Amino acid sequence: MYYDETLMDGDRLRDGDHLWDGNHCVKRWCISSLAAAAIYLAAGLGRVYAADVPQDPPSPQQAPSAQQAPSLQEVVVTGTRIRAPNITSESPITAVSSAEIQYEGATNIENVVNELPQLHTAQSNTTSNNSTGVDNVNLRGLGPTRSLVLIDGRRLGPGDPQSPDGEAADINFIPAALVSGVDVLTGGASAAYGSDAIAGVVNFHLIRNFQGVQITQTFNDAQHTNGGPSDAMLASAPLVNKPPIPGGNQFGGLVSDTTLVLGTNLDQDRGNVTLYVDYRSTDPILNVSRNYLSCETNLNKAGNGLVCGGSSDSAFGNFHTNNGKDYALNPDGSATFVKYNNSFNFNTPSTNYLQRADQRKSLGALGDYRLSEWADVYAEAMLMDDSTSAQVAPGGLSQGQGPTGFLQVPCNNQFLSAAEEPLICQDASGNRLPVYQANGQPNVATIEMPGLRLPATYPRIDQLRHTDYRAVVGVRGRIGASDWTYDASGTYWDSLLSEHYMNDISTAKLENSLFGCATPGSTGCVPVNIFKYGAITPAMFNYLSTPGLKTGSSVESTVDANVSGDFGAWGGKSPWAHNPLAATLGVSFRRDQLNFLPDNELQSNDLIGQGQVWPVVSGSENVTEEYGEIRIPVIEGMPLVKALNLDVADRHSSYSIGGSRGGFSTNTFKVGADYAPTSDIRFRGSFNRAARAPNIYELFFPQSLNTDAGYQDPCSGATPAATLAACAKTGVTSAQYGTIPGCRSSDCGGLFGGNPALRPETADTWTVGFILTPRFAPDFDLSVDYWAVRVGNYITHLAGAQVVNGCLLQGQDSLCSLIHRGPNGIIFGSAGWVTETDQNIGFLRNRGVDLNLHYRQDLDDLGLHHLGSLAFNMTGTYLLEQTI
């Protein structure tokens, strides 16, 4: 066998290099008999998959003639569906090889991709507060729902049914042991792959021809040495309950991962079956074990340093009385109040998880069988079951929370001392109420939720479980005797959610306990003492503590068919080029269904720590698409024009929304070009019109009226902050101006939810750059690309404060229609509100510069024989602008 050097995964193939010279493998660029692995093409321009390179090169006596020399017939580059030997990418692609994944010792693919600078922070295993239990990717900081995740070019389904971002894929599903490489393409790819690819795609390539048995066991642990300025800040924290100072040397967060991979070829290499099983266990890490996370940091009064701060929801409470004063429970344990100050704040981070506890089980099978040259049948079946726990600070009677944000307290409450009763029992004007009415019934005072936090021994725990299924069946092959190929497949995806939220407080039970458990049918009720520091007993907590349950599923079914080839047989090529025009055409149908069912506690906003109503969500969306792409080699092999290529793609999508909500359509397209005057440099650029259709959550989340404590009405009061002219834009009459009642701090109105009238987002993406591959340095390449993305018809919701202040104080007239006033001009109660539902409003704009540098030095060239080589890689992004 004439193997001068085996091409390994991660080696780089340069423009113009050949794999075969008709007799043997050319030096340094041969694929071994076990190959079909990914390699780089044209200095990082793309990734190559060799489908038809012979498994065993013939001997010299059997060497094929030039006419019979095997050629590279299938090249797959992320961002295009065209397969052609000379394919390149006009948009930046960052590739991570399987060797890099192995060298890093990564057992979680999230840790690999999140190191890339093109990705911003999203949900991950370090997210505890408001965690969904999944790992998302967030390209360019445009949001997980604008980043599309693929497995070998096929869409990965939505990962979680409980939030708009949950419609993004969960990359926990992808088995790290089977990943042969990862491509990150930025610059918009909706024309190639459809909706959600505004920011680009992350394409995971899986090993599909494994032979043998591989068992991998890895252990990872985290170590940190505490000390230094952070310890000093903790020691000087201006809090009554200071945060603990962790010990000097901390180990923890053990991650154990066991993987078994089995594979074998079938029927004289006509097919292959690869099986995998993976079990991963992660121990939690508490913030309190790291001194730099043990307290919530704020600027000091002088503004020149940091101090430990915290939340005003504390073990001492923050009782805001109707006379406008704030009180805290006396730290000495007596049933008295003292004036509230910031030293009573609670240090929230100490009980939060820095790394969540997690147990994950994955298994699957991937296989294919070549019936003939015209029919290669393939299938996948994959399963993941993931259970994780997110822990955050204990909850309690959080300010502004609950159905109304207020609490009813009878003035004869058994725990209300004589010193406290006059401060609690006041009317709306701050005047003292008698303990009893004339009829002998107790007066009832209305106070804001007093911000009393439960003891630290009762942290809130969110137990999330996701069970995901994926199945793919397809057939591909050559069309007749032509160079055209087809690929038809169907994909089914189902993601099941079960979530238990523990140690939250029921408003209804709290009210019942304050009234002495007098409500009929209140079996097991325990009167609760909220008027004395440290008086919450385990029995009181056990009565108040009420779990919340969410269940749901996201189902996605896809059918896709496409053909790809070139027009060489019909003379379809430019007169100045050697390679013919290449194209792909396809159709696709996708159906998404979402069902989300919270329990009654969550639907009624009874649990104080939730802070919102969780309604039932159900809906579906169908999309039918037709797409096409053509690549035109315009000029090749001429002076000062080694290659000039043009690429044009278009996709039409028709959406049908479930029920009687109608539909819409989108058109996306791409125009790209690359120009290489010599082998040393190539210039590239592209323009993409991308689109993202609103997901089911954004469309179908039921609208509901709720309270919003985040704003006040600038048109209220005797001397309004806004002018009459500004207020008139929201319906205020001259007679009402100066007489409109203001809403209390917690009861301004907000209309929350989805919006079935949403239209698709549209985005324009520009990229322009160059790739340097100098012949005098054959193992060096550099790419630099400028990129800019602008997302219009941005789907978002504005907070009430943004709406009222923008309209009434900042002259943003487009926001005034979102203010709905009730009788006498009020914007609270059941008749007045600010619309905070999802809207097509505003835009996103990001732009920057990407840099990729690669250099390889063979140690043989330095006289160090048989010691391999050194490889240096650098990937960077310089963000020039990020505007919302």
Side-chain angles (χ1 to χ4, degrees):
M1 293 186 181
Y2 284 77
Y3 282 75
D4 290 311
E5 183 173 343
T6 300
L7 178 67
M8 302 301 293
D9 186 24
D11 284 349
R12 312 189 70 76
L13 179 64
R14 297 192 172 279
D15 192 16
D17 285 326
H18 299 283
L19 292 175
W20 191 264
D21 67 0
N23 293 310
H24 56 80
C25 298
V26 179
K27 183 179 181 181
R28 297 196 57 203
W29 306 118
C30 177
I31 294 185
S32 70
S33 59
L34 295 180
I39 59 176
Y40 297 111
L41 175 68
L45 288 173
R47 187 177 285 277
V48 178
Y49 289 84
D52 298 305
V53 174
Q55 293 291 324
D56 291 301
S59 64
Q61 291 80 11
Q62 300 171 321
S65 66
Q67 289 79 13
Q68 297 171 323
S71 61
L72 192 65
Q73 295 188 4
E74 180 181 333
V75 177
V76 178
V77 174
T78 297
T80 177
R81 293 180 182 270
I82 294 177
R83 290 170 167 82
N86 65 328
I87 198 74
T88 57
S89 172
E90 300 83 16
S91 297
I93 294 179
T94 299
V96 180
S97 70
S98 61
E100 293 176 76
I101 297 172
Q102 293 171 2
Y103 295 155
E104 188 175 321
T107 58
N108 192 340
I109 204 66
E110 165 221 344
N111 297 332
V112 175
V113 298
N114 276 344
E115 290 186 355
L116 298 174
Q118 293 89 346
L119 276 81
H120 291 224
T121 302
Q123 286 275 338
S124 69
N125 70 341
T126 61
T127 305
S128 196
N129 206 356
N130 296 318
S131 173
T132 59
V134 301
D135 289 345
N136 300 135
V137 296
N138 180 9
L139 283 170
R140 302 295 194 203
L142 296 176
T145 57
R146 298 173 186 88
S147 305
L148 184 60
V149 176
L150 308 172
I151 296 180
D152 287 319
R154 293 181 180 84
R155 176 186 291 260
L156 182 61
D160 185 86
Q162 65 174 310
S163 70
D165 281 352
E167 289 291 276
D170 178 10
I171 61 174
N172 281 328
F173 183 81
I174 298 168
L178 257 67
V179 175
S180 64
V182 185
D183 291 347
V184 178
L185 178 139
T186 51
S190 289
Y193 299 114
S195 189
D196 305 339
I198 279 182
V201 301
V202 180
N203 193 9
F204 294 89
H205 302 288
L206 302 186
I207 299 171
R208 296 180 178 274
N209 61 333
F210 186 83
Q211 295 187 71
V213 179
Q214 176 180 292
I215 301 175
T216 305
Q217 174 66 58
T218 62
F219 297 99
N220 294 306
D221 209 4
Q223 184 274 336
H224 173 71
T225 302
N226 294 296
S230 294
D231 280 5
M233 182 171 63
L234 294 173
S236 61
L239 301 175
V240 175
N241 289 338
K242 293 181 181 294
I245 301 176
N249 193 31
Q250 295 283 337
F251 275 93
L254 178 67
V255 180
S256 171
D257 191 275
T258 306
T259 304
L260 170 66
V261 182
L262 304 170
T264 183
N265 282 352
L266 305 172
D267 192 13
Q268 298 181 340
D269 298 339
R270 292 173 65 91
N272 178 272
V273 174
T274 300
L275 310 174
Y276 70 91
V277 179
D278 180 79
Y279 176 75
R280 176 185 172 88
S281 175
T282 302
D283 291 342
I285 301 176
L286 283 169
N287 279 351
V288 73
S289 69
R290 305 294 190 262
N291 56 0
Y292 60 90
L293 292 173
S294 286
C295 77
E296 183 177 329
T297 55
N298 299 322
L299 282 174
N300 59 21
K301 291 182 178 180
N304 58 5
L306 296 176
V307 296
C308 280
S311 168
S312 58
D313 285 351
S314 73
F316 306 100
N318 186 355
F319 292 77
H320 182 78
T321 60
N322 291 334
N323 61 12
K325 296 181 179 179
D326 293 328
Y327 296 95
L329 297 176
N330 198 321
D332 67 8
S334 62
T336 58
F337 284 138
V338 296
K339 186 177 180 182
Y340 179 85
N341 64 72
N342 289 338
S343 69
F344 294 118
N345 285 359
F346 177 80
N347 178 45
T348 55
S350 60
T351 51
N352 290 14
Y353 277 161
L354 169 60
Q355 175 177 280
R356 295 195 314 268
D358 185 87
Q359 290 79 42
R360 186 185 313 156
K361 299 175 283 290
S362 302
L363 60 91
L366 303 87
D368 70 279
Y369 188 82
R370 190 173 66 254
L371 299 173
S372 69
E373 186 179 0
W374 303 281
D376 183 8
V377 179
Y378 58 91
E380 302 172 19
M382 305 171 74
L383 163 69
M384 181 200 75
D385 184 75
D386 181 80
S387 297
T388 186
S389 294
Q391 179 175 297
V392 296
L397 284 60
S398 303
Q399 299 173 73
Q401 301 302 309
T404 66
F406 290 86
L407 200 59
Q408 304 293 314
V409 179
C411 293
N412 68 340
N413 180 277
Q414 62 180 309
F415 298 117
L416 190 61
S417 70
E420 295 170 326
E421 178 264 319
L423 300 175
I424 294 297
C425 287
Q426 300 172 350
D427 62 19
S429 300
N431 300 313
R432 182 177 178 181
L433 293 170
V435 175
Y436 292 97
Q437 304 176 36
N439 60 6
Q441 295 297 314
N443 269 309
V444 177
T446 300
I447 64 172
E448 295 183 23
M449 275 290 179
L452 182 65
R453 193 179 293 270
L454 296 174
T457 52
Y458 303 116
R460 287 169 289 175
I461 299 174
D462 195 6
Q463 298 175 335
L464 300 115
R465 181 176 181 180
H466 291 87
T467 305
D468 299 343
Y469 304 89
R470 185 175 192 257
V472 179
V473 176
V475 59
R476 61 196 168 201
R478 190 180 302 279
I479 301 175
S482 71
D483 290 330
W484 285 74
T485 61
Y486 73 93
D487 192 339
S489 64
T491 302
Y492 177 81
W493 168 269
D494 193 359
S495 178
L496 304 176
L497 165 71
S498 176
E499 178 179 5
H500 289 80
Y501 199 91
M502 313 298 291
N503 294 351
D504 209 341
I505 300 300
S506 163
T507 304
K509 290 182 179 179
L510 174 63
E511 291 278 13
N512 189 29
S513 72
L514 292 178
F515 279 83
C517 298
T519 303
S522 55
T523 305
C525 176
V526 177
V528 174
N529 186 358
I530 66 170
F531 299 109
K532 181 179 178 181
Y533 172 64
I536 303 293
T537 65
M540 295 176 184
F541 169 79
N542 289 336
Y543 171 66
L544 294 178
S545 177
T546 305
L549 173 64
K550 304 173 188 174
T551 59
S553 67
S554 293
V555 179
E556 184 172 271
S557 304
T558 303
V559 177
D560 191 87
N562 63 78
V563 295
S564 180
D566 63 61
F567 298 95
W570 299 281
K573 67 176 184 177
S574 165
W576 307 287
H578 307 298
N579 287 293
L581 281 65
T584 186
L585 298 170
V587 293
S588 176
F589 174 80
R590 187 173 77 251
R591 177 176 175 82
D592 288 291
Q593 297 173 272
L594 182 145
N595 291 286
F596 176 62
L597 180 62
D599 66 8
N600 182 67
E601 302 290 341
L602 296 170
Q603 291 186 44
S604 62
N605 196 20
D606 181 54
L607 300 184
I608 297 176
Q610 297 301 306
Q612 70 175 88
V613 173
W614 289 95
V616 175
V617 185
S618 180
S620 64
E621 181 180 72
N622 297 339
V623 56
T624 303
E625 301 179 291
E626 309 86 37
Y627 56 88
E629 182 179 1
I630 185 167
R631 180 172 180 81
I632 307 171
V634 181
I635 304 175
E636 293 178 315
M638 300 186 70
L640 297 181
V641 189
K642 184 176 186 298
L644 175 62
N645 301 297
L646 179 67
D647 193 288
V648 179
D650 183 78
R651 176 181 289 255
H652 175 262
S653 306
S654 297
Y655 290 84
S656 174
I657 308 303
S660 59
R661 307 195 183 201
F664 46 81
S665 62
T666 63
N667 284 287
T668 58
F669 61 88
K670 174 184 75 170
V671 178
D674 63 273
Y675 163 57
T678 70
S679 298
D680 298 307
I681 191 168
R682 181 184 296 267
F683 300 95
R684 62 184 175 186
S686 68
F687 172 78
N688 286 264
R689 166 61 58 84
R692 182 183 80 88
N695 61 44
I696 296 175
Y697 208 98
E698 293 164 331
L699 290 166
F700 289 95
F701 191 95
Q703 296 184 358
S704 60
L705 193 62
N706 219 323
T707 57
D708 185 346
Y711 73 91
Q712 280 292 325
D713 182 7
C715 296
S716 65
T719 56
T723 65
L724 174 59
C727 294
K729 296 174 183 177
T730 66
V732 174
T733 67
S734 56
Q736 292 173 338
Y737 187 72
T739 66
I740 298 174
C743 39
R744 294 174 60 85
S745 61
S746 300
D747 66 354
C748 290
L751 182 67
F752 300 88
N755 184 354
L758 288 173
R759 311 308 296 171
E761 294 177 338
T762 58
D764 292 335
T765 302
W766 298 265
T767 62
V768 60
F770 67 88
I771 308 98
L772 186 65
T773 55
R775 281 170 287 184
F776 63 83
D779 292 306
F780 171 87
D781 59 79
L782 168 71
S783 68
V784 179
D785 295 275
Y786 168 82
W787 56 269
V789 184
R790 188 187 190 281
V791 181
N793 286 336
Y794 178 39
I795 297 175
T796 186
H797 68 274
L798 299 180
Q802 291 175 286
V803 174
V804 297
N805 294 334
C807 165
L808 298 169
L809 301 180
Q810 299 165 6
Q812 299 177 27
D813 293 349
S814 62
L815 301 177
C816 296
S817 62
L818 301 178
I819 300 175
H820 180 89
R821 294 189 177 274
N824 199 29
I826 62 171
I827 49 175
F828 59 88
S830 61
W833 61 82
V834 170
T835 300
E836 302 183 40
T837 58
D838 289 328
Q839 304 285 327
N840 289 108
I841 190 167
F843 66 90
L844 300 175
R845 183 173 63 231
N846 288 7
R847 59 190 183 92
V849 177
D850 283 347
L851 180 145
N852 281 277
L853 184 150
H854 305 275
Y855 176 67
R856 174 174 172 166
Q857 176 63 61
D858 288 327
L859 295 180
D860 281 354
D861 298 340
L862 302 178
L864 302 174
H865 300 292
H866 309 299
L867 293 179
S869 61
L870 297 176
F872 301 90
N873 303 303
M874 175 185 173
T875 300
T877 292
Y878 186 80
L879 187 62
L880 297 171
E881 178 188 9
Q882 187 172 37
T883 300
I884 302 177

